[in-house]
Amino acid sequence: MALNNAPLASLCAVVSVLGLGAGMSGRAALLGMSAVALIVLLSAIALRAPGRPSGIVLAAVAAWGAVFCALLALGFRLHDPAGPLVVVGGFPVGTAMLIYGTTPLGIFLGVLYGLAFDRLILPQDRQREFLRRFGTQ
Amino acid sequence: MPTADSQLILACVVVYLASCAVVGFWAMRRTSSTVDFFLAGKSLGPLVVVMATISSVMSGFGFVGGPGLVYESGTSSLWMVFVASFSLPVAFMLTGKRLRLLVEVRPILTLPEAVAARYGGSGPAIAMSVAIVLGVLGYLGTQVLAIGTVLQAVLGIDLLAALAVGLGVLAFYAIAGGIVAGVYTDLFQGLLMLGAAVAVLAQCLKVGGGMSAITETLWAMDPDYIGPWGTRGDLAAMSWMLLFGIGAAGQPHAITKLMMLKDIRQLKWSALATGLSYLVLAMLWMGIGLAMRTLVARGDHPALENPDLAAPTFLLHYTPELLAGIVFAGLLAAIMSTADSFLNLGAAAVVRDIPLALRGKPLEHELMWSRIATGSLLLLSALFALYMENLIALLGTFGWGTFAAAIVPSICIGMNWKRATGTACVASIATSIALNFVLEVAARHGHQLLPPGLAVGAVALLASTSVFVWVSLLTPKRELAPDMDALLDV
């Protein structure tokens, strides 16, 4: 079964144009959201596999993107340079979102890759079959 | 850079240089073919690949430029490093499986060869080789200059003599041992620096009186400095998140390491381990910059003449000698490791990729020519660094963005999408080189074509991705070879 990633690739192009527009017009929050959307789309392109159910993993990546965007939005909302200093875990509250929120959240994609590796990313039977047909070394 | 007058620091650096020479000699005995020279014989275990990847990505910029950026503009540059928690795993997702399987079915050693296998024809491979050579020259020049500067400070000798010592050791292990020597010195250095980064962070917190005290001082100085975006602003922070979060998958010195794994199944947890290890190293980046700025803001230390002095100043004045010696040796190791990776990539492009694309077959005595090309590139980059510093600075800033914008579409998307075409690959690489070069040159001549803070590389990455997809959809699809067709379905 062949895999058609054209819709996701086309979405990457659309999001890239959106990101360019956001950047050129100085809209940082929109640029940040575009970056997260692009990461989600690229991950989805890489994680989809023909003949293997990848729905749960793709939903997890999409959820990751949504939470990441929410944390970015919180960062924009919570940082108030004119207001009093509110410290969370040693950092101002907006910065704490970066240090304790987005950073550990990023680790989730590495965990997901490890968990999905045997069943979705590279099942041993697929690897053996491919190397049996084409392996030279 | 302040001069180290400590015998202990000097001893650490001398021990490191001597161990490089020993590893080079050992690696020379293991290097008998171009597969050994460029891909370490595809024999590396996961720990070596993880350490080699983070060491080559971190480079001297990470240990000197990174703390300098934090000292200068606060949290802005944390968006470059903290994204490593997902950027390196995403790089594994996009490239690891297919690049590693490809080297099992074709005699491929380099990224331009992978591009040639994927798209056919000579255009995409030549375009990729040109992008790699341009990026390599810039990166190499900056690394060479950094080697000279660090050794000058540690050994207390002039720049030419420092370059002769540093490049002599580098030349020996890079020419004799190829990438084998590079990755095994990376293993040693990476493990050492992981421990040192944690120790340095603890020292930073101790010197600053704890994180809350550091925050209170910096907030009183400028709330934006310690806010989520730093003083460079939200647009810079978000464009760096984009450029470094996605662009890591386009760094050839990182993703070629994945082709060197002995067993493809070892990719499984290596992605997570790479992201986590890089995060630990990033503690050094953040800790030193914030601590040094706190000391200056409190009046405990005079303001630095140059932000890049933050790391050496902190190490020499505020850390125990042994720790400073280890970090200085690690710093030198990081620079030399990155230089070795780039020498290897550059030699491959000159000796293998361009001749293969133009003549359809590799050179005879390829290993000998690879060693000659490695030595010549090193000499050339040393001359560039000494006599054409402006060009080197330009190419150095243009390296990451060019690689990201050239390689993310053509390899990361192209290896996962059958409809991608060779014309689109060439068009996206041309877009990457042109935009990065024009926008960087314009900015250096005072013509700001982009809103303040927006990173040139981020613009080029978005543009080249868009060009790649649209041109692919508009140009005729080429039939893939059966092995490539099957590879894209695995």
Side-chain angles (χ1 to χ4, degrees):
Chain A
M1 187 191 295
L3 186 64
N4 177 17
N5 268 331
L8 287 174
S10 302
L11 266 177
C12 282
V14 171
V15 170
S16 297
V17 172
L18 193 68
L20 267 179
M24 295 304 287
S25 58
R27 293 177 185 168
L30 194 55
L31 177 64
M33 308 284 172
S34 305
V36 176
L38 205 49
I39 292 162
V40 168
L41 288 169
L42 289 171
S43 304
I45 285 176
L47 289 171
R48 286 185 76 219
R52 300 197 285 278
S54 47
I56 292 177
V57 173
L58 295 183
V61 174
W64 175 87
V67 176
F68 202 102
C69 283
L71 286 174
L72 280 184
L74 267 177
F76 276 95
R77 195 177 169 81
L78 292 175
H79 179 56
D80 178 13
L85 169 63
V86 180
V87 176
V88 175
F91 290 93
V93 61
T95 313
M97 285 293 157
L98 156 68
I99 306 285
Y100 304 120
T102 54
T103 304
L105 185 66
I107 293 166
F108 174 74
L109 289 186
V111 173
L112 193 67
Y113 182 79
L115 291 176
F117 192 85
D118 289 331
R119 287 212 288 184
L120 179 69
I121 292 165
L122 187 59
Q124 291 207 334
D125 56 335
R126 293 275 181 143
Q127 179 189 343
R128 269 197 298 270
E129 172 63 11
F130 176 76
L131 292 176
R132 186 190 62 74
R133 286 177 64 200
F134 301 105
T136 55
Q137 292 159 65
Chain B
M1 187 177 274
T3 304
D5 50 7
S6 152
Q7 296 300 313
L8 199 52
I9 293 175
L10 183 65
C12 287
V13 170
V14 169
V15 166
Y16 166 71
L17 289 174
S19 58
C20 279
V22 171
V23 170
F25 185 72
W26 169 79
M28 183 171 66
R29 296 163 61 109
R30 286 190 49 167
T31 303
S32 57
S33 68
T34 43
V35 181
D36 296 331
F37 194 84
F38 291 126
L39 281 189
K42 293 181 283 182
S43 65
L44 303 183
L47 182 64
V48 184
V49 166
V50 168
M51 289 302 139
T53 306
I54 60 164
S55 301
S56 59
V57 174
M58 189 50 114
S59 86
F61 175 71
F63 292 130
V64 177
L69 272 175
V70 173
Y71 175 84
E72 178 219 282
S73 51
T75 52
S76 301
S77 74
L78 297 187
W79 291 93
M80 290 180 182
V81 281
F82 282 1
V83 294
S85 61
F86 63 81
S87 66
L88 292 167
V90 166
F92 275 64
M93 267 184 214
L94 286 163
T95 63
K97 173 176 73 175
R98 296 206 164 88
L99 282 179
R100 182 61 189 86
L101 279 177
L102 187 58
V103 299
E104 285 296 321
V105 300
R106 301 251 187 135
I108 279 172
L109 305 180
T110 65
L111 287 184
E113 284 182 83
V115 164
R118 167 64 186 85
Y119 298 104
S122 56
I126 292 175
M128 181 60 76
S129 301
V130 169
I132 286 181
V133 168
L134 284 175
V136 160
L137 277 178
Y139 265 122
L140 254 183
T142 51
Q143 302 303 317
V144 161
L145 207 52
I147 289 171
T149 311
V150 172
L151 277 179
Q152 194 182 7
V154 174
L155 303 178
I157 51 181
D158 69 39
L159 184 62
L160 266 181
L163 275 175
V165 172
L167 300 191
V169 174
L170 177 63
F172 174 69
Y173 85 78
I175 294 170
I179 200 70
V180 178
V183 294
Y184 281 97
T185 45
D186 284 350
L187 172 65
F188 169 68
Q189 173 238 331
L191 291 171
L192 203 66
M193 286 307 282
L194 282 177
V198 175
V200 170
L201 179 67
Q203 189 65 18
C204 291
L205 293 174
K206 186 179 161 194
V207 167
M211 197 58 233
S212 295
I214 291 175
T215 291
E216 279 168 23
T217 302
L218 296 176
W219 182 273
M221 179 191 81
D222 177 1
D224 281 330
Y225 180 89
I226 192 70
W229 327 116
T231 57
R232 293 207 180 203
D234 50 8
L235 198 58
M238 291 298 97
S239 60
W240 280 344
M241 179 181 82
L242 170 78
L243 178 59
F244 289 83
I246 299 173
Q251 300 308 307
H253 47 304
I255 59 176
T256 47
K257 301 286 188 315
L258 308 185
M259 295 158 75
M260 299 174 193
L261 262 177
K262 185 176 185 179
D263 176 1
I264 190 171
R265 306 211 68 78
Q266 291 167 339
L267 283 170
K268 185 176 177 180
W269 292 109
S270 302
L272 179 63
T274 309
L276 286 175
S277 304
Y278 195 90
L279 270 187
V280 174
L281 289 187
M283 299 297 156
L284 200 143
W285 177 307
M286 177 185 81
I288 291 182
L290 292 182
M292 205 59 233
R293 173 56 83 181
T294 302
L295 289 167
V296 170
R298 288 176 186 162
D300 294 340
H301 194 96
L304 303 179
E305 288 169 26
N306 174 351
D308 283 348
L309 296 177
T313 304
F314 186 83
L315 291 171
L316 290 174
H317 291 96
Y318 299 102
T319 54
E321 270 183 77
L322 181 62
L323 183 58
I326 289 172
V327 177
F328 265 114
L331 162 64
L332 193 60
I335 300 168
M336 290 175 78
S337 131
T338 310
D340 180 62
S341 291
F342 282 112
L343 279 172
N344 207 261
L345 284 169
V350 172
V351 169
R352 191 170 169 89
D353 301 328
I354 295 175
L356 260 178
L358 295 176
R359 294 161 22 117
K361 58 178 183 180
L363 297 176
E364 286 177 22
H365 309 297
E366 204 178 24
L367 180 58
M368 180 193 74
W369 285 114
S370 303
R371 286 182 161 139
I372 291 173
T374 303
S376 307
L377 273 173
L378 190 56
L379 197 62
L380 188 68
S381 54
L383 291 174
F384 263 41
L386 281 172
Y387 301 111
M388 299 176 77
E389 208 176 322
N390 283 341
L391 180 63
I392 287 297
L394 174 64
L395 289 175
T397 51
F398 141 112
W400 182 281
T402 303
F403 284 147
I407 294 176
V408 166
S410 51
I411 301 255
C412 300
I413 300 180
M415 280 288 180
N416 291 285
W417 182 35
K418 288 186 180 180
R419 187 65 183 80
T421 66
T423 312
C425 171
V426 174
S428 68
I429 292 173
T431 304
S432 158
I433 295 173
L435 273 181
N436 274 295
F437 213 87
V438 168
L439 293 174
E440 284 288 354
V441 169
R444 277 167 187 270
H445 287 85
H447 305 291
Q448 276 299 344
L449 303 176
L450 301 178
L454 184 59
V456 166
V459 170
L461 175 59
L462 291 169
S464 70
T465 301
S466 180
V467 164
F468 181 77
V469 174
W470 298 130
V471 175
S472 288
L473 293 172
L474 293 172
T475 48
K477 185 183 168 188
R478 179 178 168 274
E479 279 304 309
L480 292 169
D483 60 345
M484 189 54 68
D485 192 61
L487 177 71
L488 267 63
D489 278 336
V490 170

